């Protein structure tokens, strides 16, 4: 029997009950439980409640139909099965009322012991993508994955599970796509037809079958809906988008200062330096080692003078030691995780036997946040949460330990996957209070929604070519699960990179959201200058390029805070209907921001095979430009491109608008007052430019400079809309560089005024010095000559540029 209510309906079946809730036009929640009661499942991940929208329900003898304008669910009664249909597909190849997903007739949702599983029919040609930090191919068909936050040092590239769990995937078939988010923190499993041709399934070891079905015609919108449900990242401080140098571990303070000085002497931009566990006194969290770091404030002030922020590691384990105030306080105030009989759980981590704060308690998070103040008071602005799977030096904590879980109470089996995210939350919220400006926070473990509190990195990778490319795929996949700010250890954590590998890795890393070098204790030096002068030149070139691209990158981050669309964006987001992008040769390719295509490749490979996606149209001249040479290629073809280590294959889509600035040593410094706007002709395009002070929360009071720029190919027109917001751009002049004219028009009309374009040369890189046999410069100077450029000085009002 079914009962209609405000947000959907409640269904009572023979052995189970089911709540269907309409969250939005495009999101339906299904929650199936044993027994006849509908419980309000508490969720750490979901921050929304159902929108008040209209939906229709019709009930017949054997089925119930429930629909919004976009999505229809047919629930058959005997047996209870769920089928989803699209009502929002419009193009001829994508038909409405076609099945998006239905269930295995025999199995539907069922239990084995406490484990609950939902079986969906494999659709014809169905592909699966996403699931966050998961190894493997872009298309996950034929594989099975587990979500169980795990500390795995030097994980093999097919290893599963890793550190962070986001049980959200996207299914693709029949020119259409949908998303499923299983909101259950227990161990969950996703089987995409791994040993059968009949079903895909998802299951949870315990708790209810609580999932959200999301559907839109585009994957970007599916991610937008998923991040509406689970939240989006807050705008990070601009400095955290610069280059960051890490090491296990830099100490004492003189070494830290030396590293900082070397960056400046060598003219390599950098914004952050990390302290790993050796900065603490006996690895005790919230302490400083007395001889290695006797004057943290002084050190931090000196670093800030040179343009660096300090980021420190924080582990959850609190050393059990009489007289250690953090331990004593935590014990007295009841902050630590306990066994069911009330004894403290004690596990072994870096400081020795340690207790674990219960981050699923609001009181404990607050306490932790106040401790963070000890660090912010010293001037720390970056926080690196490690070991929060949680792990006892790679070992699993006992299942019976207990967590508050916001009053619901839970054992470790239920709390494990959420622990890391709640630690990141405690750290982030404490840091915000302590700093009163945007902190940078990084975490290893997390769960769906972790993006609200922290960036995530992919843990202990290895210095190898295959790991470098596997890492690219990890980030591509994390972006599909709402984690826009993510990164891998450039150069590889475990093992040692060859100069070639380090060079390639840093060029790719320059086009990743979090750009950080890190390496393991007792391995070779791994700073950008540690691999010889040739590699140093390459590293400098690409790090500088990253800094020059800052206006583009920052605008992309801003956009992602608004719609959750990944910054490192797998090609599947824009081109899911194109078979080719799933091909192993091309699956690593991604877009960095809206329009820059990156084609990563192994270090020794000197020729890249690349697929340039997009429709092959006879009309128009849409396509891709080689970023460094301006060579133009039509969409929808495979090409080969020279890819020596100093030239990563990077392309820009026609119709792109890419803003760039002059290079700065660190992003707290203002660039020169010219904003370079590169426009690539060929198709229509637009870009939302975004700027603010880069560090405070003032942008939340409209203290930003936001401006839409649109380009019409047919109309031969570029339009700059009136800037929105109260912030004043730091740029005084726009230099518009027009790429792709076969013949430059004689005159341009800038707001009606006749102007001539001046030929400009644009230099990407300084020559690289090769030292193989004898000193020689790179053959390719990477300068673009004769690009028509227009200089616009007064650009505060709306204006347009026309040509014939
Ligand atoms: O047990 O803090 O993934 O980045 O350097 C190892 C030392 C603990 C693991 C992290 C790694 C970090 C290391 N940590």
């Amino acid at each position: 029997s079914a009962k209609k209510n405000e947000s959907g309906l409640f269904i009572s079946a023979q052995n189970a009950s089911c709540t269907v809730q309409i969250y939005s036009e495009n999101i339906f929640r299904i929650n199936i439980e044993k027994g006849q009661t509908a419980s309000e499942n508490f969720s750490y991940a979901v921050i929304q409640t159902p929108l008040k929208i209209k939906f229709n329900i019709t009930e017949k003898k054997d089925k119930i139909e429930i629909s919004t304008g976009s999505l229809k669910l047919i629930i058959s009664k005997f047996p209870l099965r769920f089928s989803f249909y699209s009502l929002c597909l419009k193009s001829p190849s994508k038909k409405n009322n076609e099945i998006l997903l239905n269930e295995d007739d025999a199995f539907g949702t069922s239990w084995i012991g406490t484990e609950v599983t939902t079986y969906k029919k494999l659709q014809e040609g169905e592909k699966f993508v996403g699931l966050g930090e998961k190894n493997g191919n872009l298309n996950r068909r034929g594989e099975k994955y587990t979500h169980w936050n795990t500390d795995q040092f030097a994980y093999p590239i097919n290893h599963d599970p890793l550190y962070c769990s986001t049980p959200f995937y996207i299914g693709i078939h029949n020119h259409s796509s949908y998303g499923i988010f299983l909101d259950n923190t227990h161990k969950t499993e996703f089987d995409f037809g791994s040993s059968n041709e009949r079903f895909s399934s998802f299951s949870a070891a315990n708790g209810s079958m609580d999932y959200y079905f999301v559907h839109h015609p585009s994957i970007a919108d599916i991610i937008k809906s998923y991040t509406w449900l689970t939240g989006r990242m807050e705008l990070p401080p601009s400095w955290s988008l610069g280059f960051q140098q890490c090491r296990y571990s830099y100490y004492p303070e003189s070494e830290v200062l030396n590293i900082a000085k070397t960056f400046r002497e060598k003219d390599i931009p950098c914004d952050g330096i990390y302290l790993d566990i050796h900065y603490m006194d006996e690895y005790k969290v919230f302490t400083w080692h007395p001889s290695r770091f006797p004057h943290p404030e002084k050190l931090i002030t000196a670093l800030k003078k040179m343009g660096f922020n300090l980021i420190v590691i924080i582990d959850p384990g609190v050393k059990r030691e009489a007289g250690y105030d953090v331990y004593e306080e935590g014990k007295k105030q009841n902050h630590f995780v306990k066994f069911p009989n009330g004894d403290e759980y004690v596990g072994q981590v870096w400081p020795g036997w340690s207790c674990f704060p219960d981050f699923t308690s609001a009181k404990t998070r607050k306490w932790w946040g106040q401790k963070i103040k000890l660090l912010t008071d010293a001037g720390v602005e970056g926080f690196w949460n490690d070991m929060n799977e949680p792990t006892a030096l790679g070992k699993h904590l006992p299942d019976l330990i207990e967590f508050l879980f916001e009053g619901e109470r839970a054992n470790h089996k239920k709390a494990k996957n959420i622990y890391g995210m709640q630690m990141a939350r405690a750290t982030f919220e404490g840091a915000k209070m302590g700093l009163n400006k945007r902190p940078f926070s990084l975490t290893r473990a997390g769960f769906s929604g972790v993006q609200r509190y922290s960036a995530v990195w992919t843990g202990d990778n290895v210095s190898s070519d295959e790991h470098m490319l596997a890492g690219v795929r990890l980030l591509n996949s994390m972006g599909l699960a709402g984690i826009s700010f993510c990164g891998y250890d450039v150069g590889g954590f475990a093992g040692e990179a060859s100069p070639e590998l380090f060079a390639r890795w840093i060029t790719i890393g320059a086009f990743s959201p979090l750009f950080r070098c890190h390496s393991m204790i007792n391995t070779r030096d791994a700073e950008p200058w540690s691999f010889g002068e040739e590699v140093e030149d390459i590293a400098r070139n690409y790090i500088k390029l990253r800094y020059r691209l800052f206006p583009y990158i920052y605008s992309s981050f801003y956009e992602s805070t608004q719609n959750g669309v990944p910054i490192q964006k797998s090609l599947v987001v824009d081109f899911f209907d194109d078979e080719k992008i799933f091909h192993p040769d091309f699956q690593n390719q991604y877009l960095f921001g809206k329009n820059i295509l990156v084609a990563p490749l192994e270090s020794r490979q000197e020729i890249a095979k690349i697929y340039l996606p997009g429709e092959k149209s006879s009309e128009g001249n849409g396509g891709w430009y080689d970023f460094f040479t301006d060579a133009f290629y039509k969409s929808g073809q495979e090409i080969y491109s020279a890819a020596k280590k100093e030239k990563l294959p990077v392309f820009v889509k026609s119709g792109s608008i890419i803003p760039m600035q002059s290079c700065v040593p660190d992003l707290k410094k203002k660039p020169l007052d010219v904003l370079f706007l590169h426009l690539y002709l060929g198709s229509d395009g637009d870009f939302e430019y975004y700027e603010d002070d880069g560090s405070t929360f003032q942008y939340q009071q409209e203290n930003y400079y936001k401006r839409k720029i649109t380009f019409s190919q047919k109309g031969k027109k570029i339009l700059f809309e009136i800037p929105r917001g109260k912030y004043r751009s730091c740029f005084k002049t726009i230099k518009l560089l027009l790429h792709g004219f076969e013949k430059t028009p004689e005159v341009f009309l800038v707001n009606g005024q006749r102007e001539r374009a001046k030929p400009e040369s644009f230099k990407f890189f300084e020559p690289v010095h090769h030292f193989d046999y004898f000193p020689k410069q790179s053959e390719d100077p990477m300068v673009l000559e004769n690009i028509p450029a227009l200089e616009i000085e007064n650009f505060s009002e709306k204006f347009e540029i026309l040509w014939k």
Side-chain angles (χ1 to χ4, degrees):
S1 68
K3 238 198 228 132
K4 190 179 163 168
N5 58 38
E6 242 202 347
S7 60
L9 43 110
F10 177 75
I11 301 166
S12 173
Q14 213 163 33
N15 307 313
S17 54
C18 169
T19 314
V20 177
Q21 280 179 297
I22 311 299
Y23 266 64
S24 75
E25 283 276 311
N26 306 74
I27 308 174
F28 288 13
R29 176 187 183 187
I30 313 285
N31 184 20
I32 303 173
E33 295 181 69
K34 267 188 182 169
Q36 297 302 322
T37 45
S39 63
E40 260 300 310
N41 259 354
F42 164 75
S43 173
Y44 279 108
V46 171
I47 54 169
Q48 300 293 345
T49 50
L51 293 175
K52 296 211 162 29
I53 56 157
K54 270 211 194 115
F55 55 88
N56 299 315
I57 300 187
T58 52
E59 185 166 359
K60 298 203 175 109
K61 235 201 205 145
D62 57 342
K63 64 178 184 188
I64 305 165
E65 265 190 45
I66 177 162
S67 63
T68 63
S70 301
L71 192 54
K72 179 169 78 184
L73 167 63
I74 298 182
I75 305 165
S76 72
K77 292 187 186 170
F78 313 106
L80 184 63
R81 299 285 179 263
F82 300 81
S83 308
F84 294 92
Y85 298 81
S86 175
L87 298 179
C88 57
L89 297 176
K90 279 173 194 99
S91 77
S93 62
K94 309 174 181 189
K95 275 188 233 111
N96 259 340
N97 259 313
E98 268 185 29
I99 196 97
L100 287 167
L101 198 57
N102 54 357
E103 293 187 324
D104 188 286
D105 296 326
F107 312 134
T109 292
S110 45
W111 283 263
I112 300 174
T114 62
E115 187 184 52
V116 60
T117 305
T118 292
Y119 299 90
K120 303 289 189 190
K121 264 184 209 158
L122 273 174
Q123 307 294 319
E124 200 192 316
E126 195 170 19
K127 299 186 183 76
F128 302 91
V129 301
L131 225 55
E133 192 190 60
K134 292 287 168 207
N135 275 312
N137 291 321
L138 169 60
N139 180 7
R140 305 196 178 284
R141 175 83 183 248
E143 298 295 329
K144 184 175 180 187
Y145 296 92
T146 303
H147 289 299
W148 192 237
N149 292 358
T150 301
D151 170 17
Q152 182 67 47
F153 173 74
Y155 52 88
I157 64 153
N158 58 1
H159 189 79
D160 187 63
L162 298 179
Y163 312 86
C164 181
S165 295
T166 47
F168 172 65
Y169 75 88
I170 296 166
I172 300 164
H173 67 92
N174 199 18
H175 313 295
S176 185
S177 56
Y178 64 88
I180 293 223
F181 170 48
L182 173 53
D183 189 14
N184 187 320
T185 60
H186 287 96
K187 185 187 275 184
T188 54
E189 289 182 341
F190 288 74
D191 184 329
F192 300 120
S194 73
S195 55
N196 80 91
E197 49 172 16
R198 179 168 171 167
F199 54 73
S200 65
S201 68
F202 42 91
S203 68
N206 208 331
S208 74
M209 177 45 71
D210 189 356
Y211 72 92
Y212 294 78
F213 186 90
V214 186
H215 168 66
H216 291 268
S218 86
I219 288 191
D221 283 333
I222 292 175
I223 299 171
K224 190 173 176 188
S225 268
Y226 168 73
T227 54
W228 172 77
L229 266 185
T230 61
R232 302 182 180 126
M233 75 169 158
E234 288 188 19
L235 203 55
S238 55
W239 66 265
S240 64
L241 311 191
F243 180 66
Q244 306 183 6
Q245 182 65 48
C246 189
R247 165 100 227 170
Y248 177 14
S249 306
Y250 289 131
Y251 68 88
E253 62 176 33
S254 58
E255 185 179 8
V256 178
L257 285 167
N258 264 332
I259 294 287
K261 272 185 211 143
T262 310
F263 271 101
R264 295 301 169 243
E265 276 162 23
K266 292 192 170 285
D267 185 28
I268 299 176
C270 184
D271 269 273
I273 296 190
Y274 283 72
L275 298 186
D276 206 324
I277 50 174
H278 293 93
Y279 80 91
M280 293 177 275
D281 182 18
E282 296 179 314
Y283 308 119
K284 284 186 286 193
V285 64
F286 305 118
T287 67
W288 296 88
H289 193 283
S291 61
R292 292 172 187 157
F293 293 93
H295 308 294
E297 283 110 18
K298 266 199 197 155
L299 168 69
I300 293 168
T301 310
L303 285 172
K304 283 190 178 173
K305 260 199 195 130
M306 287 191 277
F308 291 87
N309 272 313
L310 191 69
I311 303 131
V312 301
I313 200 167
I314 303 177
D315 289 352
V318 174
K319 187 179 175 70
R320 183 189 57 181
E321 184 185 84
Y324 167 37
D325 53 353
V326 181
Y327 171 71
E328 298 274 6
E329 221 178 275
K331 189 182 169 74
K332 216 189 310 146
Q333 299 176 9
N334 201 16
H335 292 306
F336 297 130
V337 171
K338 296 192 182 61
F339 286 109
N341 72 342
D343 291 350
E344 246 165 31
Y345 164 66
V346 193
Q348 209 155 39
V349 268
W350 291 115
W353 293 107
S354 304
C355 291
F356 290 75
D358 182 1
F359 293 111
T360 68
S361 149
K363 208 181 85 198
T364 301
R365 285 195 300 271
K366 197 167 165 210
W367 169 70
W368 185 264
Q370 282 157 358
K371 296 281 155 246
I372 295 284
K373 197 157 185 303
L374 295 170
L375 295 167
T376 54
D377 282 352
V380 176
E381 297 189 24
F383 306 87
W384 175 23
N385 299 275
D386 190 19
M387 308 289 275
N388 52 355
E389 290 69 32
T391 173
L393 298 179
K395 298 205 174 85
H396 181 67
L397 276 57
D399 286 332
L400 79 171
I401 56 176
E402 291 191 332
F403 298 77
L404 187 62
F405 219 89
E406 313 308 314
E408 217 174 69
R409 307 211 72 88
N411 60 32
H412 187 220
K413 286 194 174 200
K414 183 172 175 185
K416 181 177 182 57
N417 280 343
I418 203 72
Y419 188 84
M421 170 174 165
Q422 295 310 302
M423 178 191 178
R425 175 185 183 181
T427 302
F428 183 61
E429 284 170 355
K432 281 213 280 193
M433 301 261 279
L435 281 177
N436 206 18
K437 60 178 164 176
R438 300 178 226 165
F440 166 65
S441 131
L442 181 62
T443 182
R444 194 167 71 174
F447 190 73
S448 291
V450 65
Q451 66 270 12
R452 309 200 294 268
Y453 312 118
S454 184
V456 181
W457 99 103
T458 61
D460 299 342
N461 64 356
V462 180
S463 300
S464 72
D465 276 295
E466 47 169 14
H467 241 283
M468 175 174 71
L469 297 178
V472 168
R473 286 197 298 284
L474 285 177
L475 301 199
N476 289 350
S477 177
M478 287 158 87
L480 296 173
I483 302 174
S484 291
F485 201 3
C486 52
Y488 37 69
D489 289 349
V490 170
F493 179 69
E496 297 187 340
S498 67
E500 293 77 24
L501 178 62
F502 185 85
R504 184 71 91 203
W505 213 324
I506 205 154
T507 64
I508 300 171
F511 294 91
S512 73
L514 172 73
F515 187 18
R516 181 181 92 134
C517 279
H518 184 35
S519 54
M520 170 72 176
I521 195 168
N522 296 330
T523 58
R524 62 164 297 166
D525 287 355
E527 290 78 30
W529 55 81
S530 310
F531 297 86
E533 291 185 47
E534 183 183 349
V535 176
E536 182 183 323
D537 284 349
I538 293 169
R540 180 184 301 100
N541 276 341
Y542 277 82
I543 294 173
K544 283 192 166 179
L545 179 59
R546 164 109 177 174
Y547 278 67
R548 290 160 76 195
L549 278 167
F550 174 73
Y552 173 77
I553 297 172
Y554 197 54
S555 299
S556 305
F557 268 77
Y558 173 73
E559 198 199 339
S560 190
T561 66
Q562 301 301 297
N563 60 17
V565 166
I567 290 149
Q568 172 158 338
K569 190 164 67 155
S570 161
L571 293 187
V572 80
V573 177
D574 292 351
F575 306 100
F576 75 84
D577 215 9
D578 184 342
E579 279 294 322
K580 268 224 163 129
I581 62 146
F582 298 96
H583 192 282
D585 288 352
F586 309 121
Q587 64 172 346
N588 300 330
Q589 290 180 202
Y590 61 91
L591 296 175
F592 184 59
K594 198 172 170 186
N595 289 326
I596 293 181
L597 184 144
V598 182
L601 72 166
E602 288 188 0
S603 57
R604 261 177 272 269
Q605 231 176 300
E606 293 205 330
I607 294 184
K609 185 171 148 195
I610 297 155
Y611 177 58
L612 296 171
E615 267 163 40
K616 265 185 244 157
S617 69
S618 45
E619 295 161 60
N621 42 353
W624 299 85
Y625 291 81
D626 183 313
F627 193 35
F628 301 123
T629 67
D630 263 5
F632 180 79
Y633 304 90
K634 285 216 163 200
S635 300
Q637 60 168 328
E638 283 173 31
I639 63 157
Y640 289 88
S641 178
K644 292 203 169 151
K645 56 183 172 297
E646 65 263 34
K647 186 180 178 292
L648 181 72
V650 178
F651 297 82
V652 189
K653 203 172 165 194
S654 60
S656 300
I657 295 157
I658 312 271
M660 288 175 75
Q661 66 179 29
S662 62
C663 194
V664 282
D666 69 86
L667 290 168
K668 275 100 41 208
K669 300 230 165 41
K670 287 251 178 294
L672 300 178
D673 60 11
V674 185
L675 180 70
F676 300 86
L677 271 183
H678 295 263
L679 180 80
Y680 294 83
L681 303 181
S683 349
D684 293 355
D686 58 37
F687 189 79
E688 179 150 64
Y689 176 84
Y690 180 86
E691 192 183 329
D692 65 18
D693 68 24
S695 88
T696 73
F697 297 108
Q698 289 274 313
Y699 72 95
Q700 292 166 352
Q701 273 74 53
E702 286 176 28
N703 242 307
Y704 49 65
Y705 178 92
K706 215 165 32 173
R707 185 162 209 177
K708 196 160 181 197
I709 308 164
T710 48
F711 164 57
S712 154
Q713 169 78 9
K714 258 217 181 113
K716 301 184 173 175
K717 173 168 135 182
I718 307 164
L719 176 71
F720 290 73
E721 289 181 8
I722 294 176
R724 279 167 297 154
K726 295 181 273 193
Y727 190 76
R728 290 191 51 186
S729 172
C730 71
F731 299 106
K732 302 237 151 53
T733 308
I734 290 178
K735 187 169 271 182
L736 189 68
L737 293 113
L738 299 153
H739 300 259
F741 273 122
E742 263 171 38
K743 216 177 127 242
T744 310
E746 293 272 304
V747 282
F748 290 83
L749 289 177
V750 181
N751 250 4
Q753 286 228 356
R754 293 163 69 86
E755 304 269 354
R756 258 170 217 287
K758 289 197 194 86
E760 183 90 13
S761 64
F762 190 82
K763 193 169 178 185
F764 279 96
F765 294 135
E766 295 300 326
V768 173
H769 292 85
H770 292 280
F771 290 88
D772 297 353
Y773 302 106
F774 48 86
K776 71 173 197 287
Q777 291 196 342
S778 52
E779 299 111 58
D780 187 352
M782 299 197 188
V783 183
L784 298 176
E785 306 280 5
N786 293 321
I787 314 171
L790 287 165
E791 225 173 83
I792 298 132
E793 259 164 49
N794 191 354
F795 61 87
S796 58
E797 289 306 305
K798 176 172 169 174
F799 70 95
E800 59 179 26
I801 298 167
L802 297 162
W803 65 89
K804 283 243 167 76

